[in-house]
Amino acid sequence: MSPGTSSWVESTDGTCPTSHPVKAKLASGIFHEPGGASYERTKADRCYASGEAAAANDLRPAKR
């Protein structure tokens, strides 16, 4: 992550920018990484720069 870049940003209508591709659902506490089974249909509440950044905020990865 480059200096001045936040580990997460708000989604725009459930989609994430390319700089923060990891989609997080806050109610379930789950994050989805690109290529995952549910990634395309998931409407994000928050977008993370990486899975590690999402995990650092107490979110867990999707099982598929």
Side-chain angles (χ1 to χ4, degrees), residues 3-23:
T5 303
S6 175
S7 65
W8 67 270
V9 296
E10 293 293 331
S11 69
T12 303
D13 296 326
T15 60
C16 292
T18 57
S19 63
H20 290 72
V22 178
K23 296 179 178 181

Side-chain angles (χ1 to χ4, degrees), residues 15-60:
T15 60
C16 292
T18 57
S19 63
H20 290 72
V22 178
K23 296 179 178 181
K25 295 297 289 178
L26 300 179
S28 65
I30 296 173
F31 67 86
H32 300 269
E33 295 186 87
S38 299
Y39 183 83
E40 291 300 322
R41 70 174 174 258
T42 298
K43 297 220 181 277
D45 297 320
R46 188 181 281 176
C47 306
Y48 284 86
S50 67
E52 292 83 9
N57 275 341
D58 296 324
L59 297 168
R60 63 181 176 83

